[in-house]
Each structure stands twice: as structure tokens, then as C-alpha cells.
Amino acid sequence: MNLAKKTFHIPLIVALAFASSGCGSGDGLPRRAVSGTVTLDGQPLEKGLITFMPAGQGGDSTSAAAEVSAGSFSVARDVGLVPGKYRVAVSVMKEVRAKGARKKQVDNATGEIVDDFDTTATKESLPARYNAQSELTADVTDGGPNEFSFPLTSK
């Protein structure tokens, strides 16, 4: 597994663990399933992470995260959100070359010297207004349907 895949999955695992820790169908909260779509420049977002965090304080606050795949996401009711207002963040991590990672290497087949970038890092590829400084919101209601559409643009 390459570093980019490992790095992408770590935040996903942490977010999903956080969202479901101590929670579930046995907690007595009036949880609701949440689902929807995420597009980028009019096309379904191929892969990403969507996170719902309480917009206010107090009460029975819950949070949830889900993987976005082929433009769709869903959070099951047993780990879902209680009715209320949520700040929504969408993140897409991309592999980039780490600064200072260049080293010279000889291609054994041709004897040519080639640049080899053996160290990679990940970088957020969406504008901050969709994640770190998210402007996205969702209002989860008791009566539903709690289906949300998030049309994002790369500019």
C-alpha cells in the first residue's frame, strides 16, 4: 500500500471511530440516517470524506463521518445524527511530492540517471471553504428526509 492511501485512510478511520465511539442504537438518542450527494464542478466526487459536526453547543450533540464514493454518501441511523444544525466538511486528500524528496538514481535497464521521488505527502485538494473553513451546513430534521446535496466548485 502506498503512503497516500495509508494517509487518506487514517483520517477516515479516525473520523469514523470518533463518530461511532460510545454511540449506537443503544444510546437512546433520536438518531436519523443521513445521505446525499457531493459533486465537484458538476461531476460526482470520485472519492472523499464528509464530516458532520454540531453547529451549536449543548444538548445531545452527535457527529458523523462517511466516505464519499462516486458522488454518494450515507450514514446509517444507528450511528446517525440527532436533529439539529451541523457544520459539514468535505475533504479530498491527494498525493504530492514532498519537498526535498528528490534523489538521483540510475535506471538499470538504460544506465540513465533519473529523478526518483521516493517520499510523498498528502495535501487537501479542495478549497478551505469546504473543509478547514467550511461554509457548508445541514439541518437534520426529525421528520426527514435527511438527504443533502453539496455542489462544490474547484475555484
Side-chain angles (χ1 to χ4, degrees):
M1 179 182 284
N2 71 34
L3 182 60
K5 288 183 181 175
K6 285 183 187 175
T7 306
F8 175 76
H9 290 296
I10 290 170
L12 175 62
I13 292 167
V14 170
L16 291 174
F18 174 78
S20 62
S21 64
C23 302
S25 59
D27 64 9
L29 295 177
R31 294 177 179 275
R32 299 293 173 246
V34 177
S35 62
T37 59
V38 181
T39 58
L40 180 61
D41 297 327
Q43 299 298 314
L45 185 66
E46 185 178 321
K47 190 170 196 119
L49 176 69
I50 188 165
T51 308
F52 293 81
M53 296 150 291
Q57 301 227 353
D60 291 325
S61 296
T62 56
S63 60
E67 187 171 350
V68 177
S69 181
S72 296
F73 69 89
S74 66
V75 177
R77 184 175 182 167
D78 64 332
V79 293
L81 301 169
V82 297
K85 295 190 182 298
Y86 290 85
R87 184 175 150 265
V88 179
V90 180
S91 180
V92 176
M93 302 305 285
K94 296 286 183 179
E95 183 178 299
V96 295
R97 295 178 193 155
K99 291 184 179 183
R102 180 181 287 190
K103 69 177 185 178
K104 297 288 184 187
Q105 186 173 27
V106 176
D107 183 321
N108 292 333
T110 64
E112 294 179 29
I113 296 177
V114 294
D115 287 334
D116 181 28
F117 294 92
D118 64 343
T119 304
T120 58
T122 57
K123 178 182 176 185
E124 177 60 60
S125 65
L126 293 176
R129 71 180 178 274
Y130 299 131
N131 41 70
Q133 300 167 358
S134 182
E135 301 169 351
L136 303 173
T137 61
D139 191 8
V140 176
T141 62
D142 199 24
N146 292 302
E147 296 177 8
F148 303 99
S149 177
F150 299 101
L152 313 180
T153 60
S154 58
K155 296 184 190 235

